[in-house]
Amino acid sequence: MATTIIDFATALTVLGNHLKVRRQALGLSQQALAGGLCAQTMIGNIEKGIDLPNANLLAKLCERLRLPHNQMLKENYPIRRLPSFSDKVHRLCDQQRYADLKAYMERPGRLQVLTTDEDLKTYYYYYGWAVYQSTHDVTAGLRSIRTALTMMMPQHPQNYRTLEVLLFSTENYMTAATTNQPNYAGFERALAIIHEQRLIDSSQNLCMVFNQYARICLAQGQPQRAIQVLIDGIAWADAHESTYMLADNYTLLAQAYALTQQVLAEQRLGAVTTAMMPSTRQQIY
């Protein structure tokens, strides 16, 4: 049964439960999991939701527990007109061979036979992500993602497909890479659709939205906002009994928490320093 996650402490409890269940499923003791990484007591405290490991330790624990990092999609989207082409696109994407994926999708004759909006939307989503990942050309990547969005008919439907929600998030993710000015409109639109349950085909892939949003918050120096987004995402995943992107989202949560603690420490230091300074109004005799 899913836990209602409303705050940071509850999110830690859910993390501990997930790691404990995974450890026991692999037949590992706490001591075996901790070996060479940390004290056994740390594992116990993590599993009880008392401690949050730092991002480096959490990544190593997830690796030892064989919890995958940096997954692309939990469920792929078909290009129905070209099934064999679609299958290879999915394989290359799952293997994160983005340069190969880009080259494969650029072979002549592909687009000419794609006649439906759904197939074209799917093609441009995969292609735009492959371009962005393999070349870091934000402009070219955005061009394809925005082309995919033009295939959405109508433009403002009552209910949306999961792929369309990912397109809103991905467009915002790529756009944010070109500026330091906070802009979360695409992410917020995506989350509104998710929370209002205006989805035709709800999928575990929606965990990607929370992850992309949090990454941009961290990149733009907004760790508190990242924490709230991640808690929201962990709650959604837990309610839908999904572990997709669990390792990634908790690693981001550890990074965001460390940044907030650093900011608080700097603020406290600044306050102490100010209090110790002599008053500028003090008379000099």
Side-chain angles (χ1 to χ4, degrees):
M1 183 176 179
T3 304
T4 300
I5 302 175
I6 58 172
D7 56 25
F8 186 78
T10 316
L12 294 193
T13 299
V14 172
L15 168 64
N17 287 337
H18 277 303
L19 295 183
K20 181 178 180 179
V21 168
R22 181 66 175 171
R23 174 180 63 76
Q24 291 175 336
L26 294 175
L28 293 174
S29 66
Q30 287 186 350
Q31 184 175 4
L33 178 58
L37 298 179
C38 63
Q40 181 181 340
T41 53
M42 171 62 84
I43 299 298
N45 286 340
I46 292 170
E47 291 186 351
K48 292 173 185 175
I50 296 172
D51 286 336
L52 174 67
N54 63 40
N56 184 51
L57 174 57
L58 181 57
K60 290 178 179 178
L61 290 174
C62 288
E63 181 179 353
R64 188 163 287 183
L65 290 168
R66 301 203 290 273
L67 292 170
H69 277 274
N70 300 318
Q71 297 167 274
M72 177 51 190
L73 293 174
K74 183 69 173 177
E75 300 153 337
N76 276 298
Y77 300 98
I79 301 173
R80 299 187 186 282
R81 182 68 177 81
L82 296 170
S84 60
F85 171 76
S86 181
D87 288 344
K88 185 162 183 178
V89 166
H90 297 160
R91 285 197 302 274
L92 292 173
C93 187
D94 291 343
Q95 294 165 6
Q96 299 184 32
R97 293 168 55 190
Y98 296 117
D100 292 339
L101 175 57
K102 175 179 177 292
Y104 180 67
M105 297 188 78
E106 287 174 346
R107 290 183 182 179
R110 307 299 187 186
L111 280 172
Q112 288 83 346
V113 299
L114 300 182
T115 57
T116 69
D117 290 340
E118 282 304 308
D119 275 351
L120 287 167
K121 191 190 322 175
T122 304
Y123 176 95
Y124 281 113
Y125 171 71
Y126 282 105
Y127 182 68
W129 189 248
V131 169
Y132 177 76
Q133 290 289 345
S134 62
T135 69
H136 307 293
D137 186 338
V138 177
T139 301
L142 272 173
R143 188 183 305 121
S144 288
I145 297 300
R146 287 170 175 165
T147 299
L149 283 168
T150 67
M151 304 296 166
M152 191 174 72
M153 297 296 173
Q155 283 291 297
H156 297 279
Q158 179 61 35
N159 295 302
Y160 293 80
R161 298 186 183 279
T162 299
L163 178 58
E164 293 162 350
V165 176
L166 290 180
L167 283 166
F168 296 142
S169 177
T170 301
E171 182 192 27
N172 201 156
Y173 184 78
M174 291 185 184
T175 301
T178 66
T179 177
N180 290 324
Q181 296 298 318
N183 172 20
Y184 308 123
F187 295 130
E188 289 296 328
R189 183 180 183 186
L191 291 189
I193 294 166
I194 292 170
H195 290 311
E196 292 165 10
Q197 299 182 9
R198 295 164 53 201
L199 291 157
I200 296 171
D201 58 342
S202 183
S203 154
Q204 293 184 64
N205 287 341
L206 295 172
C207 293
M208 178 76 74
V209 175
F210 300 96
N211 184 271
Q212 288 182 332
Y213 193 172
R215 285 182 183 278
I216 293 304
C217 290
L218 282 175
Q220 296 184 342
Q222 301 284 334
Q224 285 285 5
R225 190 181 191 116
I227 287 172
Q228 291 306 310
V229 169
L230 288 165
I231 288 173
D232 189 18
I234 292 164
W236 188 89
D238 191 55
H240 291 80
E241 299 182 343
S242 172
T243 58
Y244 174 54
M245 302 207 79
L246 177 72
D248 301 271
N249 286 341
Y250 270 111
T251 300
L252 286 180
L253 187 64
Q255 292 172 350
Y257 180 71
L259 282 174
T260 59
Q261 296 306 298
Q262 179 182 333
V263 170
L264 288 173
E266 290 172 352
Q267 289 174 344
R268 285 194 291 266
L269 179 61
V272 170
T273 302
T274 301
M276 293 176 63
M277 292 175 63
S279 171
T280 56
R281 299 176 62 187
Q282 187 176 20
Q283 294 285 337
I284 300 176
Y285 296 98

